[in-house]
Short mmCIF file of all heavy atoms in Angstrom, two decimals:
data_model
loop_
_atom_site.label_atom_id
_atom_site.label_comp_id
_atom_site.label_asym_id
_atom_site.label_seq_id
_atom_site.Cartn_x
_atom_site.Cartn_y
_atom_site.Cartn_z
N ALA A 7 13.18 0.69 -23.29
CA ALA A 7 11.74 0.91 -22.99
C ALA A 7 10.83 0.05 -23.74
O ALA A 7 9.96 -0.48 -23.10
CB ALA A 7 11.39 2.44 -23.22
N VAL A 14 6.34 -6.34 -19.79
CA VAL A 14 5.13 -5.92 -18.88
C VAL A 14 3.86 -6.38 -19.52
O VAL A 14 3.04 -6.89 -18.93
CB VAL A 14 5.21 -4.41 -18.72
CG1 VAL A 14 3.89 -3.93 -18.02
CG2 VAL A 14 6.33 -3.92 -17.78
N PHE A 21 -4.27 -11.62 -17.03
CA PHE A 21 -4.15 -11.04 -15.70
C PHE A 21 -5.62 -11.05 -15.23
O PHE A 21 -5.88 -11.50 -13.96
CB PHE A 21 -3.64 -9.62 -15.63
CG PHE A 21 -3.65 -9.09 -14.34
CD1 PHE A 21 -2.67 -9.22 -13.41
CD2 PHE A 21 -4.64 -8.15 -13.96
CE1 PHE A 21 -2.65 -8.62 -12.20
CE2 PHE A 21 -4.60 -7.51 -12.75
CZ PHE A 21 -3.62 -7.77 -11.83
N SER A 42 -16.06 0.10 5.34
CA SER A 42 -16.73 1.36 5.04
C SER A 42 -17.99 1.54 5.97
O SER A 42 -18.60 2.63 6.06
CB SER A 42 -17.25 1.33 3.54
OG SER A 42 -18.16 0.29 3.35
N ILE A 56 -21.88 13.44 3.63
CA ILE A 56 -20.46 13.65 3.87
C ILE A 56 -19.79 13.74 2.38
O ILE A 56 -20.40 13.40 1.36
CB ILE A 56 -19.87 12.43 4.37
CG1 ILE A 56 -20.17 11.09 3.74
CG2 ILE A 56 -20.19 12.27 5.87
CD1 ILE A 56 -19.64 9.85 4.30
N GLU A 60 -14.48 11.47 1.57
CA GLU A 60 -14.31 11.11 2.97
C GLU A 60 -14.45 9.71 3.47
O GLU A 60 -13.81 9.22 4.32
CB GLU A 60 -15.30 12.16 3.84
CG GLU A 60 -14.82 13.52 3.76
CD GLU A 60 -15.91 14.37 4.42
OE1 GLU A 60 -16.95 14.00 4.88
OE2 GLU A 60 -15.66 15.71 4.62
N LEU A 79 -2.04 -8.10 -1.04
CA LEU A 79 -1.07 -8.14 -2.03
C LEU A 79 -0.13 -9.30 -2.07
O LEU A 79 0.55 -9.62 -3.02
CB LEU A 79 -0.24 -6.89 -1.84
CG LEU A 79 -0.90 -5.37 -2.19
CD1 LEU A 79 0.02 -4.30 -1.86
CD2 LEU A 79 -1.23 -5.46 -3.68
N LYS A 102 19.34 -8.91 -18.51
CA LYS A 102 18.56 -9.39 -17.33
C LYS A 102 18.18 -8.11 -16.60
O LYS A 102 17.07 -8.13 -15.92
CB LYS A 102 19.47 -10.22 -16.39
CG LYS A 102 19.91 -11.61 -17.02
CD LYS A 102 20.58 -12.47 -15.98
CE LYS A 102 20.85 -13.89 -16.51
NZ LYS A 102 21.61 -14.63 -15.57
N PHE A 110 9.60 -4.72 -11.99
CA PHE A 110 9.36 -3.60 -11.08
C PHE A 110 8.26 -2.77 -11.59
O PHE A 110 7.39 -2.34 -10.84
CB PHE A 110 10.59 -2.62 -10.90
CG PHE A 110 11.76 -3.36 -10.05
CD1 PHE A 110 13.02 -2.77 -10.17
CD2 PHE A 110 11.48 -4.33 -9.20
CE1 PHE A 110 14.06 -3.37 -9.31
CE2 PHE A 110 12.40 -4.93 -8.48
CZ PHE A 110 13.82 -4.49 -8.58
N VAL A 118 -0.65 0.32 -8.23
CA VAL A 118 -1.46 1.58 -8.41
C VAL A 118 -2.91 1.16 -8.70
O VAL A 118 -3.87 1.72 -8.31
CB VAL A 118 -0.78 2.43 -9.41
CG1 VAL A 118 -1.76 3.61 -9.81
CG2 VAL A 118 0.49 2.96 -8.92
N VAL A 138 -20.36 15.81 -4.08
CA VAL A 138 -19.20 15.81 -4.91
C VAL A 138 -18.24 16.94 -4.57
O VAL A 138 -16.99 16.91 -4.77
CB VAL A 138 -19.54 15.81 -6.47
CG1 VAL A 138 -18.27 15.87 -7.37
CG2 VAL A 138 -20.35 14.60 -6.75
N TYR A 151 -13.88 17.87 16.29
CA TYR A 151 -14.07 18.48 17.67
C TYR A 151 -14.66 17.49 18.68
O TYR A 151 -14.97 17.78 19.89
CB TYR A 151 -15.04 19.70 17.52
CG TYR A 151 -14.47 20.87 17.10
CD1 TYR A 151 -14.78 21.20 15.52
CD2 TYR A 151 -13.53 21.77 17.69
CE1 TYR A 151 -14.18 22.33 14.93
CE2 TYR A 151 -13.01 22.84 17.07
CZ TYR A 151 -13.35 23.16 15.73
OH TYR A 151 -12.76 24.10 15.12
N PRO A 161 -8.86 10.36 10.56
CA PRO A 161 -7.85 11.44 10.46
C PRO A 161 -8.56 12.77 10.11
O PRO A 161 -8.33 13.42 9.01
CB PRO A 161 -6.92 11.01 9.30
CG PRO A 161 -7.78 10.17 8.37
CD PRO A 161 -8.69 9.54 9.41
N ILE A 180 -3.40 7.95 -0.99
CA ILE A 180 -3.05 6.92 -1.99
C ILE A 180 -1.62 6.82 -2.21
O ILE A 180 -1.10 5.71 -2.52
CB ILE A 180 -3.91 7.32 -3.31
CG1 ILE A 180 -5.53 7.19 -3.15
CG2 ILE A 180 -3.43 6.50 -4.52
CD1 ILE A 180 -6.30 7.67 -4.34
N ALA A 208 7.01 -15.58 3.81
CA ALA A 208 7.37 -15.31 5.26
C ALA A 208 7.68 -13.85 5.42
O ALA A 208 7.51 -13.29 6.40
CB ALA A 208 8.37 -16.32 5.58
N PHE A 218 2.38 -4.01 12.45
CA PHE A 218 1.26 -4.12 13.37
C PHE A 218 1.77 -4.02 14.90
O PHE A 218 1.12 -3.35 15.71
CB PHE A 218 0.51 -5.42 13.09
CG PHE A 218 -0.49 -5.74 14.20
CD1 PHE A 218 -1.79 -5.06 14.11
CD2 PHE A 218 -0.41 -6.67 15.29
CE1 PHE A 218 -2.84 -5.23 14.99
CE2 PHE A 218 -1.36 -6.89 16.14
CZ PHE A 218 -2.58 -6.16 15.99
N LEU A 264 6.29 13.93 14.66
CA LEU A 264 6.17 12.70 13.82
C LEU A 264 6.64 13.24 12.27
O LEU A 264 6.75 14.32 12.03
CB LEU A 264 4.72 12.31 13.76
CG LEU A 264 4.19 11.62 14.98
CD1 LEU A 264 2.71 11.50 14.99
CD2 LEU A 264 4.96 10.31 15.32
N SER A 270 7.96 10.83 4.83
CA SER A 270 7.68 9.34 4.67
C SER A 270 7.86 8.87 3.29
O SER A 270 8.18 7.76 3.06
CB SER A 270 6.06 9.20 5.04
OG SER A 270 5.79 9.51 6.39
N PHE A 283 18.38 -2.47 -5.47
CA PHE A 283 19.99 -2.66 -5.47
C PHE A 283 20.22 -4.11 -5.14
O PHE A 283 20.95 -4.89 -5.85
CB PHE A 283 20.66 -1.71 -4.44
CG PHE A 283 22.12 -2.15 -4.40
CD1 PHE A 283 22.92 -1.77 -5.35
CD2 PHE A 283 22.58 -2.75 -3.15
CE1 PHE A 283 24.39 -2.09 -5.29
CE2 PHE A 283 23.84 -3.09 -3.07
CZ PHE A 283 24.74 -2.76 -4.11
N LEU A 289 20.00 -10.99 -8.99
CA LEU A 289 19.68 -11.42 -10.40
C LEU A 289 20.92 -12.06 -11.09
O LEU A 289 20.78 -12.92 -11.86
CB LEU A 289 19.21 -10.28 -11.06
CG LEU A 289 18.76 -10.56 -12.60
CD1 LEU A 289 17.44 -11.39 -12.54
CD2 LEU A 289 18.31 -9.17 -13.29
#
Side-chain angles (χ1 to χ4, degrees):
V14 172
F21 179 86
S42 61
I56 56 180
E60 288 176 354
L79 289 173
K102 289 183 179 180
F110 287 162
V118 172
V138 180
Y151 288 99
I180 291 176
F218 174 75
L264 292 170
S270 290
F283 173 75
L289 183 65

